[in-house]
Amino acid sequence: MRPFTIVLLGLLLVTLLGFAALLVFKISVLPTEIEPAHFAAYGTLIGGVLTPMTIIVAAFALLQRERAHQAEMKNLQSQSNRLDLMRFIQKIEKDIQNALDKLTINVTYKQEDIHATGNDAFLNLTFLEWPAVIPSEKQVKERLNASNGQVSRNEPLIICYEAFSTITIYLNSLRQYCEEHDRLSGTNMTTLYFLRKYRIGIQRLSDQGYGVHKWKPMAQQNAQADTGVPSV
């Protein structure tokens, strides 16, 4: 209930009590001769009844206003936190794009030389040669074992593996910030947006064994909590 409404109701209550006191005064005094002492008694009655009520109403209204102020400050803090989170989210999105843009490489896929970019492998659904650009951890280990650990960092396999390992770290951080932003805003729009944007890349990284965390929008998490299904 708003403080203004509380004060209005309090004033109404005080007015009703005043009329009640006037009625008591009328019944008890008016049949007899009115003397100045009677008015003094009536004033004492009004003061004794209305003054405590007025103080209580004012104190209650003040308490409600303080609660409303605290709620407003909490809301402002939440908005500030959401803005900070959105800045982090935009920074990570930019870092992911920069990492993809830097990755331009020539690889061999099914005995064919292919000129590929990070964007092709990560975002392009029709780029079927993506496994040559996003190597699995198994491929990297086999290459290291075959060369006794003597592998140049300039080798395409290593360049691609390091790039997409870094992108995996970015994605996991992005997921955490998006979920926290959605928790504060009460929606799942941010998580859904980036899940749709990076769905192909997330699936390909997952297929290749990278440690990318599974994205779950807030609504889906709540549904699982209601049904008792554990989240992954």
Side-chain angles (χ1 to χ4, degrees):
M1 186 178 295
R2 296 181 178 180
F4 176 76
T5 305
I6 296 171
V7 172
L8 187 62
L9 291 176
L11 292 176
L12 180 60
L13 178 61
V14 170
T15 303
L16 291 176
L17 289 175
F19 279 115
L22 179 61
L23 181 62
V24 172
F25 176 77
K26 180 178 179 181
I27 295 174
S28 61
V29 175
L30 288 185
T32 62
E33 183 179 356
I34 300 177
E35 298 180 358
H38 294 155
F39 288 105
Y42 176 68
T44 302
L45 175 64
I46 294 296
V49 174
L50 299 188
T51 300
M53 291 300 301
T54 303
I55 294 174
I56 292 174
V57 170
F60 189 70
L62 182 62
L63 177 62
Q64 291 297 317
R65 182 69 188 102
E66 178 63 22
R67 290 179 177 176
H69 176 70
Q70 291 177 356
E72 182 179 357
M73 292 299 297
K74 185 177 180 180
N75 183 53
L76 291 175
Q77 181 65 34
S78 177
Q79 292 179 5
S80 176
N81 290 340
R82 292 201 302 271
L83 291 175
D84 290 339
L85 286 169
M86 185 53 66
R87 281 192 287 267
F88 283 122
I89 289 170
Q90 292 171 346
K91 174 65 167 56
I92 295 175
E93 181 184 17
K94 184 177 180 180
D95 290 339
I96 292 174
Q97 191 57 54
N98 288 338
L100 292 173
D101 292 339
K102 289 179 180 179
L103 186 59
T104 302
I105 200 163
N106 295 317
V107 295
T108 301
Y109 182 73
K110 294 183 178 179
Q111 299 181 348
E112 292 185 8
D113 292 333
I114 300 170
H115 179 75
T117 66
N119 287 290
D120 289 333
F122 194 72
L123 300 174
N124 190 348
L125 180 62
T126 63
F127 186 74
L128 303 181
E129 298 86 355
W130 66 266
V133 186
I134 307 179
S136 66
E137 184 178 356
K138 180 180 178 181
Q139 291 175 284
V140 175
K141 287 183 177 180
E142 289 176 351
R143 179 69 183 90
L144 291 173
N145 292 333
S147 62
N148 294 322
Q150 302 299 320
V151 178
S152 172
R153 293 191 62 182
N154 294 325
E155 187 172 327
L157 181 72
I158 303 302
I159 293 175
C160 292
Y161 183 74
E162 288 182 349
F164 284 103
S165 295
T166 301
I167 290 173
T168 298
I169 295 173
Y170 287 149
L171 283 172
N172 289 339
S173 298
L174 180 65
R175 180 189 67 87
Q176 293 178 339
Y177 284 127
C178 286
E179 289 182 354
E180 179 63 16
H181 182 274
D182 287 347
R183 185 187 68 81
L184 292 175
S185 62
T187 69
N188 59 3
M189 298 303 297
T190 308
T191 301
L192 283 176
Y193 169 78
F194 285 103
L195 179 57
R196 290 168 181 168
K197 179 176 182 178
Y198 296 132
R199 182 183 297 276
I200 297 172
I202 290 173
Q203 185 60 53
R204 288 175 177 176
L205 289 176
S206 179
D207 291 343
Q208 293 295 75
Y210 290 78
V212 60
H213 298 163
K214 190 170 183 179
W215 288 55
K216 289 183 177 293
M218 186 176 62
Q220 184 179 353
Q221 292 179 0
N222 293 339
Q224 287 182 338
D226 294 338
T227 57
V229 178
S231 60
V232 179

